[in-house]
Amino acid sequence: QQPVQSPQAVILREGEDAVINCSSSKALYSVHWYRQKHGEAPVFLMILLKGGEQKGHDKISASFNEKKQQSSLYLTASQLSYSGTYFCGTAGSGNTGKLIFGQGTTLQVKP
Amino acid sequence: DTAVSQTPKYLVTQMGNDKSIKCEQNLGHDTMYWYKQDSKKFLKIMFSYNNKELIINETVPNRFSPKSPDKAHLNLHINSLELGDSAVYFCASSQALGETQYFGPGTRLLVL
């Protein structure tokens, strides 16, 4: 079952904050966040494992609420380079490495 | 220097032809994957191999056949290409099952 991301698209001014949500109907073991720029490959941002942890680097952080089967990606003080499509990939138990990706959230940061 | 590489980068071919896409990783990873991304950007797993053993085989037409000659390579052969096969195909690798996946640059396949 594909996770659902919201919003589908967001437009920001430089310096503004954004939150992207990822919600699954199935129990999750881990959530992986990627950013993809047009014509390029998805680039790994962070991985969150079961345990409700929160991670971050620079001004991008994420949380994982396993009870609610949700993860959120927080972009603080957005920069032009943050523009792209953000995907969450979810993995259930079983450790097959199988990631099911959401439909993506397109983020555009304007000067 | 390249971590995960794919060839070719672009592939334009006629319906009914057979084509192959090659993938190589120099990260020393044990696990490799093939994904298909359609025109709506939907990214879907097709296959994965761990230490040359097939682990994931999603509901993919049997015209698609992966081959892993060694841990560093995972190739994708497609027989009797159809219009609906047009997409971007990404190879990825991870140290082990369940760990961070690193994507190659993609192969843009257009079937005419």
Side-chain angles (χ1 to χ4, degrees):
Chain A
Q1 189 86 12
Q2 185 183 19
V4 177
Q5 290 183 230
S6 62
Q8 287 195 340
V10 58
I11 300 174
L12 298 174
R13 291 283 177 196
E14 256 187 309
E16 292 182 339
D17 302 340
V19 181
I20 299 171
N21 299 303
C22 175
S23 183
S24 174
S25 59
K26 291 183 127 183
L28 299 176
Y29 179 78
S30 63
V31 180
H32 305 226
W33 285 97
Y34 287 81
R35 176 172 58 214
Q36 184 179 29
K37 293 183 181 282
H38 182 70
E40 298 181 8
V43 173
F44 171 74
L45 294 175
M46 62 189 75
I47 180 173
L48 299 108
L49 301 177
K50 187 169 129 173
E53 67 176 281
Q54 188 150 351
K55 273 197 171 184
H57 67 87
D58 199 13
K59 292 178 179 149
I60 299 176
S61 62
S63 64
F64 177 25
N65 186 326
E66 67 181 272
K67 282 185 180 175
K68 290 187 177 180
Q69 293 158 194
Q70 289 176 350
S71 177
S72 295
L73 186 72
Y74 306 94
L75 301 146
T76 307
S78 58
Q79 305 165 17
L80 295 176
S81 61
Y82 285 5
S83 294
T85 301
Y86 289 78
F87 292 96
C88 67
T90 58
S93 60
N95 200 26
T96 63
K98 178 177 175 179
L99 287 183
I100 302 175
F101 283 93
Q103 80 279 20
T105 295
T106 302
L107 177 74
Q108 185 180 3
V109 181
K110 293 187 172 180
Chain B
D1 203 25
T2 307
V4 183
S5 59
Q6 295 179 227
T7 53
K9 191 169 181 180
Y10 298 96
L11 191 49
V12 182
T13 188
Q14 299 286 331
M15 260 194 331
N17 284 349
D18 303 338
K19 290 293 178 187
S20 290
I21 307 171
K22 295 187 175 183
C23 177
E24 176 180 3
Q25 54 94 4
N26 62 6
L27 297 167
H29 286 173
D30 287 344
T31 313
M32 295 185 73
Y33 311 79
W34 277 111
Y35 284 88
K36 178 181 180 180
Q37 187 171 44
D38 63 21
S39 57
K40 294 183 180 176
K41 294 187 181 177
F42 178 41
L43 193 59
K44 184 171 164 48
I45 182 80
M46 298 172 71
F47 303 102
S48 77
Y49 273 74
N50 187 56
N51 285 318
K52 295 172 52 183
E53 178 188 350
L54 181 65
I55 301 296
I56 297 171
N57 184 351
E58 286 295 290
T59 311
V60 176
N62 57 16
R63 297 182 294 103
F64 290 79
S65 53
K67 279 189 174 54
S68 181
D70 54 61
K71 284 200 310 184
H73 296 85
L74 180 61
N75 304 323
L76 183 65
H77 188 75
I78 317 170
N79 289 326
S80 305
L81 278 154
E82 300 178 357
L83 294 176
D85 297 332
S86 295
V88 182
Y89 292 84
F90 286 103
C91 175
S93 73
S94 63
Q95 182 65 60
L97 291 171
E99 298 198 10
T100 300
Q101 296 180 26
Y102 297 92
F103 284 76
T107 295
R108 284 138 191 88
L109 171 66
L110 178 60
V111 183
L112 301 173

